[in-house]
Amino acid sequence: MAARHVLTIDGPAASGKSSTAQWVARTLGWRHVDSGSLYRAATFARMQAPGAPETWTEGSVLSGAAGIGLAPVEGSFIPTLGGQPLGEEIRAPDVTAEVSRVARMSGVRQWVNRVVQQAAQGHDVVVDGRDMGTVVFPDASLKVWLVADPWERARRRLQQRLGRRPSDEEIAAETDELVQRDSRDATQTVQARDAVLIDTTYLTQPEQVERIAALARAVSAKR
Ligand code: DC
């Protein structure tokens, strides 16, 4: 059975996609699927086997990924490895540093896309990533392209990580790293022509969530 409603949220790194998608899904009573968590889980799984990242082959990443699943938890899914839930370890800096390399492997992309589509079957879902609206769900009922100024994305990320107001120097260094990551992921990060662009630079999270949820309700009401 196909998904009933699919809302895709794509955009660059640290634009707040996952937290927004999760919140929107909760507001609508839909399920959230985070495609980036699968690229992260595949990177983490490959790291458990020997070999420097420069030597990783697509085959070796896929064999690590064979142990990965998506377990349903209330309103969402979490990746598992060998049946064990994966948590914050997939967000660690060493995983973040290598995940773009893994995300460029076409076989890995096909694997992620398959897992995400399976998770979405039979549910109303909010899926977030880089190419959900273009490659994975080209017929989604609503597509959102979420962007924010790099300085603001860096500031939010640091505030969350440090739990205090970051200095301008810290934000500048983080902005530099974020812009480099955007460039590493640029090929995979594609705005759908029929996506609604939402720039969150001057929006609070509740505002962006409400805006997207209102769009989703309007689209659902028409179908
Ligand atoms: O959104 P994130 O930081 O958790 O994404 C992790 C990595 O996966 C990042 O390098 C971009 C990549 N990614 C991708 O290429 N395609 C997706 N649909 C989702 C994430």
Side-chain angles (χ1 to χ4, degrees), residues 107-122:
V108 177
R109 300 201 72 77
Q110 285 165 20
W111 168 75
V112 168
N113 297 350
R114 238 184 358 258
V115 175
V116 168
Q117 280 168 339
Q118 277 166 8
Q121 274 190 9

Side-chain angles (χ1 to χ4, degrees), residues 5-93:
H5 287 294
V6 177
L7 158 56
T8 61
I9 304 183
D10 291 305
S15 54
K17 297 181 302 291
S18 293
S19 49
T20 302
Q22 194 166 14
W23 195 344
V24 169
R26 208 178 309 134
T27 303
L28 296 169
W30 297 8
R31 284 201 185 178
H32 170 225
V33 189
D34 172 1
S35 60
S37 73
L38 287 164
Y39 289 103
R40 289 177 173 277
T43 307
F44 178 82
R46 179 60 187 86
M47 281 175 156
Q48 310 312 304
E54 303 74 48
T55 68
W56 293 355
T57 59
E58 183 176 282
S60 72
V61 174
L62 285 172
S63 75
I68 296 172
L70 270 189
V73 290
E74 41 177 311
S76 191
F77 293 90
I78 48 164
T80 57
L81 180 60
Q84 297 303 310
L86 291 171
E88 281 310 300
E89 58 270 47
I90 63 169
R91 319 239 160 236

Side-chain angles (χ1 to χ4, degrees), residues 30-221:
W30 297 8
R31 284 201 185 178
H32 170 225
V33 189
D34 172 1
S35 60
S37 73
L38 287 164
Y39 289 103
R40 289 177 173 277
T43 307
F44 178 82
R46 179 60 187 86
M47 281 175 156
Q48 310 312 304
E54 303 74 48
T55 68
W56 293 355
T57 59
E58 183 176 282
S60 72
V61 174
L62 285 172
S63 75
I68 296 172
L70 270 189
V73 290
E74 41 177 311
S76 191
F77 293 90
I78 48 164
T80 57
L81 180 60
Q84 297 303 310
L86 291 171
E88 281 310 300
E89 58 270 47
I90 63 169
R91 319 239 160 236
D94 56 344
V95 173
T96 302
E98 302 303 338
V99 65
S100 301
R101 173 193 306 282
V102 166
R104 276 195 296 270
M105 298 173 170
S106 61
V108 177
R109 300 201 72 77
Q110 285 165 20
W111 168 75
V112 168
N113 297 350
R114 238 184 358 258
V115 175
V116 168
Q117 280 168 339
Q118 277 166 8
Q121 274 190 9
H123 306 286
D124 290 331
V125 286
V126 183
V127 284
D128 79 278
R130 302 293 196 283
D131 56 350
M132 294 298 107
T134 47
V135 176
V136 187
F137 297 102
D139 299 324
S141 16
L142 174 65
K143 303 176 185 179
V144 170
W145 182 250
L146 207 63
V147 295
D149 179 78
W151 181 274
E152 177 59 15
R153 284 190 275 144
R155 189 197 66 73
R156 288 176 188 166
R157 178 141 286 196
L158 279 172
Q159 172 81 44
Q160 189 183 33
R161 193 188 304 150
L162 304 173
R164 62 164 169 80
R165 204 177 145 184
S167 69
D168 280 0
E169 289 71 25
E170 287 171 325
I171 303 176
E174 185 75 15
T175 302
D176 181 49
E177 205 190 296
L178 212 60
V179 169
Q180 285 183 37
R181 240 185 104 195
D182 283 349
S183 137
R184 288 203 296 272
D185 290 326
T187 320
Q188 289 86 247
T189 309
V190 195
Q191 179 178 6
R193 285 163 49 155
D194 49 350
V196 178
L197 183 146
I198 299 186
D199 183 338
T200 72
T201 308
Y202 301 107
L203 293 179
T204 63
Q205 199 167 40
E207 285 169 341
Q208 47 179 297
V209 167
E210 195 33 56
R211 215 170 262 200
I212 297 171
L215 281 167
R217 283 189 207 102
V219 169
S220 306

